[in-house]
Amino acid sequence: MGFVSRKIFPACGSMCVCCPALRSRSRQPVKRYKKLLSEIFPKSPDSPPNERKIVKLCEYAAKNPFRIPKIAKYLEERCYKELRYEHIKFINIVTEAYNKLLCMCKAQMAYFAVNLLNVVTELLDNSKQDAMRILGCETLTTFIYSQVDGTYTHSIEKFVHKVCKLAHEDGEEHQRRCLKASSLQCLSAMVWFMAQYSYIFAALDEMVYATLDNYELDTRIDDDNEREPHHNWVDEVVRCEGRGAIVACDSSPSNMIIRPQPEKKDPSLLTREEIEMPKVWAQICIQRMVELAKESTTLRQVLDPVFVYLDSRRHWVPQQGLAMVVLSDMLYWESSGNHQLILGAVIRHLDHKNVSHDPQLKSNIVQVAAALARQTRSRGVLAETGFVSDLCRHLRKSFQATLESVGQQESNLNILLQNSIEDCLLEIAKGIDNALPLFNMMAISLEKLPSSGIVARATIGSLMVLAHMISLALISSRSQQVFPEDLLVQLMKAMLHPNVEVRMGAHHIFSALLIPSSSHPRHEVASLHSGFVYEPRRWRSTNASAFASISALLEKLRREKDGIKSEKNGYNIHEDFKGKDNMEEDSKQGLVVKSSRNIYTISSIIDRTAASNMVEAEPYIMKLTEDQIMQLLSGFWIQATLSDNLPSNIEAISHSSVLTLISLRLKNINDNLVVRFFQLPLSLKDISLDPSNGTLTPAFQRSILMLSMSMLMFAAKIYQIPDLIDLIKSIVPFDADPYLGINEDFQVFVRPQADVKCYGFVSDNQRASSLLSGLRDKIDESNNILMDILVRNLSTITELEIDDLMKQLSEPFTPDDAFMFGPRSILDLDHNQMTPYSKESLSFDEDVQTSQLLEDDARSEASVLDLSHFIPKAPASPSISNVINIGQLLQSALEVAGQVAATSVSTSPLPYDTMASQCEAFGTGTRKKLSNWLAHENHQNEAADKTILTTAAADRHTMMLKKSSNGNAFNGAVSQLDPCLSMRLPPASPFDNFLKAARH
């Protein structure tokens, strides 16, 4: 009747006062929400809910939003009432009504959000029935997905702890699994909310822990299909035997199986069974966490709790732990280009306090990182190489710990870590496209190489592994490039390191980088123990790969020569070493040693290469410039004459010189370098036979003789001079040195049966002295024949005249001036490796005592520092002996700095005027002192200049008179020349002449 009164009879309200239906009160809206609220609840608890009535109530609320607060308040109170009576169906109706309100009244959410969250809190706190908590999780999930902005961010964040607690509930009952699935579903909604509105909850770590607790391993991995064909148990036996431990087998790449890509789950397409599975929702949580981590900062916030969880639960074990599964899945689901950031974060986690002191745990983490690197490179190249330095740093620390370890168990754990890091580096190497950053990394590490034996050996060992990794990267890129200048300079300085083992490691690095090999065996680059000098298998395998790489090059050189000429001379490389009779004859002379520890024969590789593929592509080789080759020859000269060398150092020098010669032969560089290659061993031969040389022991002279003979024969082999090889074979017996031998490729190698500890003893020196005295006359008699053979053949190989060749070969080898005195002089060694001062560098006051400049640590630096015998001696002019030099000036500055540091400073604050006056007085005294010194120096220099000018004028006057008497036409002009012009220096460079011309 209210409708009739309001619409049809509007005048009845003022006329009829008796009819109740026509009163004004009846024209107000009827409170239908109470009736609708009562209708949504059935009369009996067993009756099903009326969905139509719930929808009708929500429609009413949408049309009358001012009624929503009362409706929400009623539903909240009714929920509390039904909770007391544990009427689950009625509570289900309340939550369903709230869900409908969220769907139909989203714009009016502010009217009922507080009531809804209160209901969710009560449901989650009800620990008696799991069904109640499931309803609470589902309602909160619906509320989160209904958000249109971040208004209720903090309200949602308050539920994180409660929901995570439910996800940790124990039990395998169906109801408990549904509870965990509902809580994880709610957590996935929270992760979606954080990604949607760019907000990270403070309790993100709890969410990660709850998710990983429900993440299950997938054991259905087909190992056989993913394994590489050549990885079998034989490799593992060889690997374990080579390292002397039984702990390295687990880190083999044969166990680094690429996990198949899992199916990405869509929450809207899940089946009923999947909805009730916690592991499905845990996977969805990880998917959304990966989507959340779109930048490095957010990725770190996600990964840090993941790593902490894996550390605490010991889940880093490959193939059994959770780390491999979770991180592999994260890599697959990553779509924003952060694949390498995940790999880098795993490697940098090695520095975490939970991991840094546990070699076993670090080894497991690196093994996981290796598998991730293999998975990452399968999707593209690795552009980021910053984490390589972290791996090398941990490898160095592991080497150092192995040297310092006392127990076998600790040593085995460190070896396991080394194996793991090397396998990881190998996997990374296969995906690197640009090696320039790695070259810079190596140069910086070598520049900071300390003089301490243990630290230096550990550092060089890690760089040896890195060198093999870079060689693989060079092969994959196939980009021809010049050997990096900075790295070469630092390598040559490392070749002069006080530690003999570090020197050998520097040669190893140079060889691995100069001619990389693509035919590495699987375990060839495996762990280089910190005592790599005593690991012959590593060095042997390295040389094997290096010579395998250049076998095609040697075969190419052999094919370039005339085959008829080779047969006539009897030096066809392939046939000569293949013949049985020749092999037996060489064996009698000690030339062939099948059990060589460190050198792999070239001839067998050439045989195999020639038989399999005569047109094999030329392998990769780095370019060496002419200046670099000249510096290397100068470096070999200095290194070969260091008095503390061991046979292993001689072997390393021989190997590096061979590779340098091959590089020179292939690049067709100028003739002077070719002559220098022959001049170097000839000079070494002269040093080895010099009886008056008091700096070298007879045993070491014997080793230098073997080195020089091998270098001459290998150069003769490369340049096809068979007469020279025959001559040397007839003069020098190659079994004369009990420590060094020469194999069939004319390479020096350390005899495996030799006891190096007895090298250089008194008895050894006596035997060497008698041997050298017997060979001295024999070699001197054949010198003319040797020089004739060299000059005759080199005159056809090069374009130099015979007289020039004879003159150059007769002169002693001298190091290159740029190598000795250039801007990157080898004499300018790092202060960490050399003594910081010398007696000549003292200041003019001599306040610094000489005793303070001596090092307390006695080590074998004398041979490295004593480079004076390589520098030509020149008598110093007395007139310029007092001229200030750079060293004196720097020393003076150091003295002044020391005085400033030693000045006592009052602890009480001084006024500004007092402090200024003190500084001014101190500066005035220092300047006065320096000016007096400079005045004294200038006075001496002026006197010396006057003497020089007087002498020069007298000489010139005599010359002028002589020319005048001879009728020289230029006597008048010469007489007018200024005497000072005779003292003018020539231009420092051609650029000075250009500037002079540009001014005019």
Side-chain angles (χ1 to χ4, degrees), residues 845-861:
D845 300 347
E846 296 188 1
D847 293 337
V848 182
Q849 300 296 327
T850 306
S851 60
Q852 297 176 358
L853 304 179
L854 299 178
E855 285 191 325
D856 297 330
D857 185 14
R859 55 180 181 261
S860 60
E861 291 185 357

Side-chain angles (χ1 to χ4, degrees), residues 820-834:
M820 301 296 293
F821 308 106
R824 295 185 178 184
S825 172
I826 198 66
L827 300 179
D828 186 19
L829 297 177
D830 190 79
H831 66 279
N832 292 328
Q833 301 180 18
M834 299 302 163

Side-chain angles (χ1 to χ4, degrees), residues 644-660:
D644 63 340
N645 277 335
L646 296 176
S648 57
N649 296 106
I650 301 297
E651 176 191 49
I653 295 171
S654 173
H655 182 61
S656 297
S657 64
V658 164
L659 298 183
T660 307

Side-chain angles (χ1 to χ4, degrees), residues 707-718:
L707 174 64
S708 62
M709 294 297 102
S710 68
M711 293 175 67
L712 277 175
M713 286 194 297
F714 190 85
K717 175 180 178 180
I718 291 295

Side-chain angles (χ1 to χ4, degrees), residues 828-896:
D828 186 19
L829 297 177
D830 190 79
H831 66 279
N832 292 328
Q833 301 180 18
M834 299 302 163
T835 52
Y837 305 105
S838 63
K839 293 181 180 180
E840 291 77 5
S841 65
L842 297 179
S843 65
F844 66 97
D845 300 347
E846 296 188 1
D847 293 337
V848 182
Q849 300 296 327
T850 306
S851 60
Q852 297 176 358
L853 304 179
L854 299 178
E855 285 191 325
D856 297 330
D857 185 14
R859 55 180 181 261
S860 60
E861 291 185 357
S863 61
V864 181
L865 294 176
D866 187 16
L867 299 176
S868 59
H869 59 282
F870 303 114
I871 306 173
K873 297 292 184 180
S877 175
S879 62
I880 59 173
S881 59
N882 294 322
V883 177
I884 182 173
N885 56 30
I886 296 298
Q888 290 175 331
L889 184 59
L890 292 178
Q891 186 64 29
S892 176
L894 288 174
E895 180 198 0
V896 174

